Amino acid sequence: MAKPELPATPRVTEIERPKLALPKGRHKVLLHSCCAPCSGEVMEAMLASGIDYSIYFYNPNIHPKREYEIRKEENIRFAQAHGIDFIDADYDTDNWFERVKGMEWEPERGIRCTECFDMRFERTALYAAENGFDTITSSLGISRWKNMQQINDCGQRAAARYPELVYWTYNWRKGGGSARMIEISKREEFYQQEYCGCIYSLRDTNHHRRQNGREKIEIGVKFYGHDDLKQEENR
């Protein structure tokens, strides 16, 4: 199935959102983005509030490389459609595997995920401190599959390394944020990833599927909204 192209001009979800306010005295945000579906609502919410931000894509956990490239390209296209600066960081998988060594069988949301978040946020914080950003945040917390407190703790720990930097702990799920995330994903027909991202989450997700009589994950074939279109065609 071919990936549909985004329109030349962005389609922003028409909704009355509360005006967001950065932490006191803060002006410029570096948004760590894990993927387009999770960051779509975060991006549009900040745009609607006139917040100055750039996207930082640093996700060496994503496996395999094809999955990584698809997620990254989705995010790039959406950022370009909205005129948002996109910083493409390293895909240093060797460092990631070294960081989580010995944690291969830890459960999702466990210590392996903490190490993964720490690594990604530490690099985000370093880039922010070296390039004039005073605030970092992440789209990771908008997903209901993630532990928001775990993510916030990792973000704050990374930002604390630099006295001029803070981690913005805004709850992107509240006020309908999670629902708008899905709405935007369907509207843009984003690639729909079916596991968190790392080789171990892929392994465990496929194991769960086999136990429930489902086929293993196929990379690069599923997009938001396409199942809805098929249902309409079959009526």
Side-chain angles (χ1 to χ4, degrees):
M1 183 182 296
K3 172 68 180 71
E5 294 294 329
L6 287 177
T9 55
R11 298 172 292 185
V12 178
T13 299
E14 294 296 334
I15 189 166
E16 287 293 327
R17 291 184 173 94
K19 187 171 179 61
L20 301 179
L22 289 176
K24 187 176 180 180
R26 304 291 160 165
H27 306 285
K28 191 174 182 182
V29 179
L30 186 62
L31 168 63
H32 170 268
S33 176
C34 54
C35 61
C38 286
S39 64
E41 162 60 13
V42 179
M43 290 171 61
E44 289 195 0
M46 288 202 286
L47 281 171
S49 292
I51 292 173
D52 182 11
Y53 74 96
S54 297
I55 293 172
Y56 191 70
F57 193 87
Y58 178 62
N59 301 288
N61 58 303
I62 299 174
H63 175 92
K65 182 69 176 296
R66 182 176 176 224
E67 179 79 8
Y68 171 84
E69 293 293 347
I70 294 171
R71 296 191 192 191
K72 183 176 73 172
E73 289 304 318
E74 287 284 85
N75 212 165
I76 289 173
R77 281 192 290 268
F78 194 63
Q80 288 178 340
H82 287 77
I84 302 302
D85 186 33
F86 187 96
I87 298 104
D88 184 3
D90 294 337
Y91 185 54
D92 52 346
T93 54
D94 289 345
N95 287 335
W96 185 84
F97 277 109
E98 183 63 29
R99 185 80 176 239
V100 301
K101 189 175 181 180
M103 305 174 194
E104 293 85 355
W105 294 100
E106 290 293 326
E108 201 81 9
R109 301 187 182 188
I111 190 171
R112 186 181 69 235
C113 292
T114 297
E115 285 295 329
C116 181
F117 297 150
D118 278 343
M119 178 179 179
R120 290 146 83 188
F121 289 162
E122 285 165 12
R123 183 70 67 86
T124 304
L126 174 62
Y127 186 93
E130 291 180 343
N131 291 275
F133 295 88
D134 54 35
T135 308
I136 60 172
T137 193
S138 177
S139 61
L140 280 163
I142 199 170
S143 170
R144 63 187 178 90
W145 299 107
K146 297 291 190 294
N147 182 325
M148 186 173 291
Q149 187 60 56
Q150 181 185 34
I151 291 168
N152 286 343
D153 287 347
C154 293
Q156 290 176 313
R157 185 160 51 246
R161 295 171 170 228
Y162 308 95
E164 72 279 12
L165 199 62
V166 298
Y167 181 83
W168 189 20
T169 60
Y170 184 78
N171 183 352
W172 299 103
R173 299 178 195 172
K174 71 179 184 179
S178 291
R180 288 194 297 276
M181 176 187 76
I182 300 300
E183 177 187 346
I184 292 168
S185 296
K186 288 182 177 180
R187 185 194 74 201
E188 302 298 333
E189 298 180 334
F190 284 145
Y191 172 64
Q192 187 174 354
Q193 54 258 30
E194 299 184 78
Y195 61 104
C196 179
C198 77
I199 189 173
Y200 308 120
S201 65
L202 176 59
R203 174 200 65 198
D204 294 343
T205 302
N206 278 331
H207 176 70
H208 178 76
R209 285 184 169 219
R210 285 194 298 271
Q211 287 185 319
N212 289 275
R214 298 177 60 193
E215 296 293 327
K216 70 176 184 179
I217 291 170
E218 289 187 67
I219 292 171
V221 301
K222 192 168 184 180
F223 296 90
Y224 280 97
H226 282 210
D227 288 340
D228 297 339
L229 291 174
K230 288 180 181 178
Q231 290 172 6
E232 288 291 334
E233 292 171 356
N234 293 330
R235 285 180 183 175

